[in-house]
């Protein structure tokens, strides 16, 4: 899906001022409210905008330990293991991957002992052969989209 300069400006506002009204976005951008709403609808329909909820902090919810757990899965059991991972509340993301494992999960825990308990639960899932865990020490780049949006917007702008 092509993102043009106006889309980029809209996305920037959504990222920087997520609680602003559509009417206010339209005023800031100098476009009609209907135009802005049509753009937002298209960006959602095309899957560019995938959510509007708040970003939550696992640490503030009592889970300050972050780890990435790689799971090696018996051939033919990837779907079943993936489905089982959805039942583990401490897994906040899971991806099928290439390389040293079949699945990569992002796991949060209350402390190291709790992390060990979660890993033991994962090891016991039918189809899991082994796990490898990397504990995050410090976040160096927080989850972000604005630099990518700006990069896409620059490449979509006509050269002049």
């Amino acid at each position: 899906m092509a993102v043009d300069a106006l889309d980029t400006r809209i996305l920037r506002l959504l990222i920087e001022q997520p609680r602003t009204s559509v009417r206010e976005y339209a005023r800031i951008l100098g476009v009609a409210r209907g135009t802005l709403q049509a753009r937002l609808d298209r960006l959602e329909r095309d899957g560019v905008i995938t959510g509007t909820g708040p970003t939550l902090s696992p640490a503030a919810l009592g889970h300050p330990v972050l780890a990435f757990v790689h799971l090696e899965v018996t051939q033919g059991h990837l779907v079943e293991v993936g489905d089982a991972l959805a039942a583990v509340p401490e897994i906040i993301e899971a991806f099928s991957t290439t390389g040293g494992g079949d699945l990569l999960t992002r796991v949060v825990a209350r402390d190291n002992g709790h992390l060990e308990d979660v890993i033991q639960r994962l090891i016991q899932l039918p189809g899991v052969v082994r796990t490898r865990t990397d504990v995050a020490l410090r976040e160096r780049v927080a989850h972000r989209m604005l630099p990518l949006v700006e990069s896409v917007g620059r490449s979509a702008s006509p050269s002049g």
Side-chain angles (χ1 to χ4, degrees):
M1 182 233 136
V3 174
D4 65 16
L6 179 56
D7 293 333
T8 300
R9 291 173 55 213
I10 291 169
L11 294 170
R12 173 186 266 285
L13 273 177
L14 289 173
I15 292 167
E16 292 179 342
Q17 301 177 36
R19 293 179 162 226
T20 302
S21 70
V22 171
R23 178 175 297 171
E24 182 63 11
Y25 287 143
R27 186 195 67 73
I28 292 168
L29 294 167
V31 300
R33 185 181 183 282
T35 300
L36 177 63
Q37 189 62 60
R39 291 290 185 117
L40 289 171
D41 292 344
R42 180 180 51 80
L43 290 166
E44 286 181 15
R45 186 177 56 250
D46 291 348
V48 175
I49 297 173
T50 58
T52 58
T55 302
L56 304 178
S57 165
L61 292 170
H63 289 69
V65 176
L66 171 63
F68 299 92
V69 180
H70 305 258
L71 289 89
E72 187 178 318
V73 176
T74 304
Q75 275 191 321
H77 290 87
L78 192 61
V79 172
E80 294 86 353
V81 173
D83 291 345
L85 295 177
V88 181
E90 295 86 358
I91 294 179
I92 57 176
E93 288 184 297
F95 301 92
S96 299
T97 62
T98 62
D102 300 302
L103 290 164
L104 173 64
T105 63
R106 189 161 70 133
V107 177
V108 294
R110 293 184 302 273
D111 53 38
N112 287 345
H114 181 218
L115 176 60
E116 182 182 11
D117 294 342
V118 173
I119 293 167
Q120 289 302 316
R121 183 174 175 189
L122 298 179
I123 290 170
Q124 293 173 19
L125 292 175
V128 173
V129 176
R130 73 179 46 89
T131 66
R132 182 177 59 82
T133 303
D134 297 313
V135 176
L137 299 176
R138 180 178 294 155
E139 183 176 69
R140 298 295 179 172
V141 177
H143 178 80
R144 63 196 185 139
M145 293 301 297
L146 189 55
L148 178 63
V149 167
E150 291 175 336
S151 174
V152 169
R154 277 192 301 274
S155 65
S157 297
S159 300

